[in-house]
Amino acid sequence: MAEAKKKGLLSGLLRRLSTAPGTGRLEKESPMRRASDGDVLPRRRKSERPEASNSRRRPRRPNPNDSKGKGKELSNGHKDDPAPLSKWPPPGVSSEEALNLGHAMRFISRGVPAHTGHKRPIPHASDHYYALYTTTAGNHGDENDTANQHNAMTQLTTLRLQGSGPPTYPWETLEQPSLAFGFGTRPGTITLNHWASLFSSLPPLIGLRDPGLVPREVDLAHILERLQDLEGGLEDDTDELYRLYRRFLKDPDKIFSPHKRMEQQITDLVMCLSSPDWIDFSNPKNQVVTKFIYDPTPATEKQYHKFFYQLLLSLELEMRINSRQHTDAAKERLMVQIPPKIQWNLALARRWRDFVRVDDYGDTADSVRLRFKLRKRQAKMLKRFAQMMKWPNLNETLDELKQADAEGSLTSISSHTMAFFSGLVLPGPTFPFLMMNSLIDIDPDKATDELALLTHLHPYSGFQHRGGYTYWTSSCIVGKVLAPTCLEAAGWIGPAMLTIDLGRSQIARIRTKKLSRDLLLPEDVTSMSLRSDPLGPPPPSDAKVYPVNEYDLPELDKDDFIDTIRIEQLNLKPRDEKQDSGPKWFDASIQFAIDGVSWPLHLSYDVSFISAWPCSDGPHPLFFDYVHSPCKVDEVVHILDWGKPSGHSTSEHLATVGGSKPAKPTPEDEEDAERVLVIEAFGNTDNEVLARAWCSHWGVSAVVADIGRTCIACAIREAYAATLTVVILVDDRSDDSE
């Protein structure tokens, strides 16, 4: 009875597919209500700080009656495109006056990134689950905080659920958080959207109830024949489409009401693929999909047959969903309702349809010949990746790559090379490991045998190869911290400094602590636009006036930078617990020399670094209640427990973090526990590494802003949007000139 009810529900859902015209447009979310006078929370003292379950405060605004002047009416001859500000107030404006809304937008908000948070429900889940995202607009031009996917070699890490081309919004991809909006523009950083998405509450993937719809027994040759037929597209004729039941499925209503309508066939395919007997591609252990077909021997024949049968049914489903008979709006509605487990089958079908062709087949697995459309492109990509990473055995490895490519044997080296060169890569975290493992497998050096256990199931890892360089995943804290001295490509950071604590070629898994408190709550995301508004909160009156003296232009002397910091060494300390097998776990630390004094910093916490959005027409003024404190990078080692909520014990950190100088306690701001520490780390890349290492030592994530792209005010506001208390200022122009 339960099964009948389930099928009826899904059938009702799928019947909404029609050829009726639709808008095909996303509906706009209702605009966030601007806070009234009563909504603006007053500043709280540290002793009054709420529990972590409460939202962050919003900036406050004093009573406008306390300021002199009225809304500033500038002359009619004033230019619409004012020159970038060099001082505040701008020329012709007195500090005793107030700007009306139009002129406030012109002088203060023009070219400022405006961050908006989104809390979206999860289909098929209760209200306890939700997904968090951000979108940003307002700055001019096409620049954003996301790495270019072509340059970063991350195209295959993501897949849009519906439609072709890159996704427009982060909720449009199968993998969540969306890796199309994941990697930041600076090495070792993530985007603001990815940061927010990390705090989504996603339901666990649960198995689907077996509907009992069993496919027909079909031999391998008939499966491959149909796969080859589908390369020409899906039939339009109703009778031809119904052949699905004559060959692969069983129609339960074939006598009285045969399933000739496409929505009925879609329902039956979904029900069939819901069986637990199929491979679960939503399970990370199964996401290197080529391991099921790499070795076609009699011992693996059953597995080989199952993979291709599941692929065929998934392709039949995917092509029916994307039929020209359905409007784009109908396709989008349907894809949202498809269970996640089935969506991963559709992802495999999409990759196959895009990149793989059947050249020949027979009755046995070893007679199957496949053609991979991406092989040449992927070979060029791997060559470029090896050159960027300064691979220790580069010449011999590239010679081996060239020879294998000429022989057409690249996909037969290992299951990893087969996945990488074929393009049969599911979205998510597997691609970086497929690429690096392909490079390792092609390298003829026997030392690569020590790197055989590198796997996406242990993402917080890296390795040393031939005693030359170390390489770290983008998600590993060692990689995040050392990234300013390296390149980032395909989810890897390198070549990084070597360490004497690893063998000539050895894998290291890095242990870190998770942050012990929630940093971003749903209320923080939904109130993001208000809490980071460049104008501050709305004036508590009907008169939309903005007193000039409530804003200031943060100043920065770019020529006054620190050049007495150098990285001395990377230390990896093995964990005490015994391990029976597999790569060892380590605690990481970095030792710096500051004015000739050694300062070790432990990479204790798995913090994140958010790449700041670029702004236009800067620098911009900053509302007075975005409180912040500047700090030279060499002074940061004297600051303890910055941003730790009141009530957290600091006794364990009363000693200095390294060196011989006494440590300073955390600055106690009796008015504001959310003050942003602005670390001036420009000058050289070692400065930025020190700032990042300090963040990991104390467990504080940070916004990283290139002052050539983002002004100080916009970086501080983004920290408030992300509920972070640290901004790291860097300057790529000064680093490049070293």
Side-chain angles (χ1 to χ4, degrees), residues 153 322 413 552 581 629 632 649:
M153 309 182 196
N322 289 289
I413 297 173
D552 195 13
S581 62
S629 296
K632 296 292 184 183
S649 172

Side-chain angles (χ1 to χ4, degrees), residues 466-512:
R466 298 187 69 176
Y469 297 109
T470 57
Y471 302 91
W472 305 94
T473 65
S474 297
S475 57
C476 177
I477 189 58
V478 180
K480 294 178 191 178
V481 171
L482 290 177
T485 65
C486 310
L487 296 175
E488 182 175 25
W492 284 92
I493 291 171
M497 64 187 306
L498 59 81
T499 174
I500 62 174
D501 298 318
L502 290 179
R504 185 171 182 267
S505 292
Q506 182 181 351
I507 295 174
R509 293 175 180 169
I510 303 302
R511 190 195 73 108
T512 56

Side-chain angles (χ1 to χ4, degrees), residues 2-18 124 211 213 245 251-253 257 259 261-271 334 337-339:
E3 292 175 3
K5 180 179 179 182
K6 177 183 175 183
K7 184 169 182 179
L9 177 63
L10 188 56
S11 299
L13 163 69
L14 297 173
R15 278 196 294 271
R16 292 207 298 266
L17 283 170
S18 68
H124 312 295
L213 204 161
Y245 296 98
D251 187 350
D253 302 319
S257 180
H259 292 183
R261 297 202 313 271
M262 191 174 289
E263 61 266 27
Q264 292 174 311
Q265 297 171 15
I266 290 174
T267 301
D268 289 341
L269 284 165
V270 169
M271 303 297 279
L334 175 60
Q337 300 300 326
I338 294 289

Side-chain angles (χ1 to χ4, degrees), residues 16 53 96 117 126 184 209 221 274 326 374 390 407 418 434 454 468 484 527 566 585 607 635 694 721 736 738:
R16 292 207 298 266
S53 60
E96 300 298 319
S126 69
R209 182 182 294 121
S274 298
H326 306 141
L374 276 191
K390 297 182 180 178
E407 296 172 352
M418 185 179 189
L434 293 175
L454 197 65
S527 65
R566 295 295 180 267
W585 289 86
V607 297
E635 299 172 353
W694 175 86
D736 293 341
E738 287 186 288

Side-chain angles (χ1 to χ4, degrees), residues 695-710:
C695 289
S696 177
H697 184 97
W698 293 112
V700 287
S701 296
V703 171
V704 182
D706 177 2
I707 56 178
R709 301 173 72 239
T710 309

Side-chain angles (χ1 to χ4, degrees), residues 40-43 57-62 536-537 623-625 671:
V40 180
L41 303 183
R43 171 174 289 174
R57 73 164 181 87
R58 300 165 180 172
R60 66 171 185 174
R61 178 181 293 280
F623 183 63
F624 81 96
D625 205 29
E671 284 193 324

